[in-house]
Amino acid sequence: DRADRADRVDNARRRLSFKEQKELAELEARIERDERRQAEIETELVAGATDSQVVLRLYTERETLTARLAADLDRWAELAELI
């Protein structure tokens, strides 16, 4: 009985569709790019700490990146579970 259930669970796992594979690849690239940009922003914040306009622009960009990264990482985890 347990072996039958285990087989059914394994069979229930599916492969990613072409669209999901493409989405996963795009997510991975975007996550990598956004993480690199976040590191650049941190460096720029230190360098431009005396210019309030620069700090505000960078802070806003960092907040946007952080939110997008969180959503992208959640979706990446969902797709990775299907693999």
Side-chain angles (χ1 to χ4, degrees):
D1 242 357
R2 281 187 177 178
D4 289 337
R5 273 188 265 146
D7 286 342
R8 277 186 259 136
V9 168
D10 286 341
N11 289 336
R13 284 192 174 183
R14 63 178 180 82
R15 299 184 69 189
L16 295 177
S17 69
F18 176 77
K19 183 179 175 183
E20 289 169 329
Q21 290 174 12
K22 184 177 177 184
E23 180 184 5
L24 184 62
E26 289 170 354
L27 282 168
E28 289 172 345
R30 191 166 57 228
I31 288 167
E32 184 178 330
R33 182 192 69 228
D34 288 350
E35 286 176 339
R36 225 179 9 257
R37 180 61 187 142
Q38 274 190 323
E40 292 170 359
I41 288 171
E42 294 302 321
T43 301
E44 290 177 35
L45 280 170
V46 170
T50 58
D51 187 338
S52 63
Q53 289 181 341
V54 170
V55 170
L56 179 60
R57 179 182 55 79
L58 292 171
Y59 177 78
T60 303
E61 183 181 357
R62 184 178 68 181
E63 292 302 304
T64 301
L65 281 173
T66 299
R68 186 170 61 206
L69 267 170
D72 286 350
L73 287 168
D74 286 344
R75 180 61 179 151
W76 179 89
E78 289 173 10
L79 292 173
E81 286 180 9
L82 300 175
I83 296 175

